[in-house]
């Protein structure tokens, strides 16, 4: 019994000294960035030669529904490509949130810089069937999503990066 008491005392001293190290780091709040990616709403297809059509009535209705979807979500930035259909999709959200639309070129974007500029923010990105999945794949760092079907105007991709680690989900908002 006499040898057990000194061992217990020694264990208490060791545990106490390990727990009181001066160089122990205090846990910091994680850095969370959330990216919401959507494709533009339904475009006017009456003139197949028009490379920059506006939205049709269904598209205008969807753009308003997107604004309702994003209403409870605090957004810091709204990005759109510089096309009528993407700008018109982003506009109701931009107006409702009182955030100016920032235009980007998906062919010229530096994804690491884009993620860094938007670190810790909630960001909406409005793109196209061929650019939206590409951007999502670049943000998550893997080839997960294929080009969207040309009739898919209702997919919502959500990418959350917590301390540099991305998670993603794709939802249909029909």
């Amino acid at each position: 019994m006499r040898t057990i008491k000194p061992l217990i005392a020694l264990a208490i001293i060791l545990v106490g000294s390990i727990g009181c190290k001066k160089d122990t780091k205090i846990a910091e709040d994680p850095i969370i960035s959330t990216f919401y990616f959507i494709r533009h709403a339904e475009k006017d297809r009456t003139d197949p030669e028009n490379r920059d059509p506006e939205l049709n009535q269904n598209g205008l209705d969807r753009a308003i529904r997107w604004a309702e979807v994003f209403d409870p979500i605090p957004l810091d930035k709204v990005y759109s490509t510089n096309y009528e259909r993407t700008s018109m999709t982003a506009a109701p959200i931009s107006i409702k949130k009182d955030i100016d639309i920032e235009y980007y070129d998906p062919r010229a974007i530096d994804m690491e810089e884009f993620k860094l500029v938007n670190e810790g923010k909630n960001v909406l990105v409005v793109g196209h069937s061929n650019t939206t999945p590409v951007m999502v794949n670049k943000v998550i760092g893997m080839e997960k999503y294929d080009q969207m079907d040309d009739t898919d105007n209702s997919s919502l991709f959500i990418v959350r990066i917590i301390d540099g680690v991305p998670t993603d989900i794709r939802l249909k908002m029909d």
Side-chain angles (χ1 to χ4, degrees), residues 69-102:
V69 167
F70 285 101
D71 188 39
I73 299 170
L75 292 176
D76 299 298
K77 293 198 177 189
V78 175
Y79 290 95
S80 173
T81 59
N82 196 11
Y83 286 86
E84 289 294 329
R85 58 194 177 273
T86 50
S87 297
M88 290 174 74
T89 302
I93 300 161
S94 169
I95 291 165
K96 197 165 201 164
K97 298 287 186 182
D98 194 26
I99 300 172
D100 290 336
I101 297 171
E102 294 186 38

Side-chain angles (χ1 to χ4, degrees), residues 77-147:
K77 293 198 177 189
V78 175
Y79 290 95
S80 173
T81 59
N82 196 11
Y83 286 86
E84 289 294 329
R85 58 194 177 273
T86 50
S87 297
M88 290 174 74
T89 302
I93 300 161
S94 169
I95 291 165
K96 197 165 201 164
K97 298 287 186 182
D98 194 26
I99 300 172
D100 290 336
I101 297 171
E102 294 186 38
Y103 293 98
Y104 72 98
D105 180 349
R107 297 168 302 213
I109 197 162
D110 178 333
M111 192 50 65
E112 292 308 311
E113 181 182 335
F114 182 77
K115 290 191 300 187
L116 188 60
V117 165
N118 293 295
E119 189 173 69
K121 296 181 177 157
N122 293 327
V123 175
L124 171 65
V125 181
V126 183
H128 305 268
S129 62
N130 62 336
T131 64
T132 298
V134 170
M135 286 192 69
V136 173
N137 289 339
K138 286 181 179 180
V139 170
I140 64 175
M142 69 172 71
E143 294 298 315
K144 183 173 181 177
Y145 298 104
D146 294 326
Q147 183 170 323

